[in-house]
């Protein structure tokens, strides 16, 4: 696999993850629920 192909694959994966994150935030807003994340080794609930 060439370096260009690896970079292209990486960019597609990142783009897909960004899209999934946007959809998750939209879903959480629609359902009026919180997003759970880990910040500084603590579990945190935030409103989208």
């Amino acid at each position: 696999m060439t370096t260009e192909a690896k970079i292209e694959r990486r960019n597609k994966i990142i783009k897909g993850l960004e899209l999934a994150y946007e959809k998750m935030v939209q879903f959480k807003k629609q359902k009026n629920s919180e997003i759970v994340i880990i910040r500084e080794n603590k579990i945190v609930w935030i409103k989208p």
Side-chain angles (χ1 to χ4, degrees):
M1 182 174 275
T2 65
T3 303
E4 286 182 22
K6 288 180 183 179
I7 292 170
E8 186 178 337
R9 178 188 282 173
R10 180 181 178 277
N11 289 340
K12 286 181 179 180
I13 291 170
I14 291 172
K15 192 173 184 178
L17 289 171
E18 289 172 348
L19 180 62
Y21 178 78
E22 289 176 21
K23 286 183 177 182
M24 184 264 307
V25 171
Q26 289 174 358
F27 177 79
K28 292 292 189 173
K29 282 182 180 179
Q30 183 182 27
K31 298 295 182 182
N32 197 25
S33 63
E34 297 175 327
I35 298 173
V36 180
I37 60 169
I38 296 177
R39 184 180 292 160
E40 297 176 7
N41 294 325
K42 294 185 178 183
I43 298 174
V44 180
W45 290 266
I46 58 173
K47 295 253 182 199

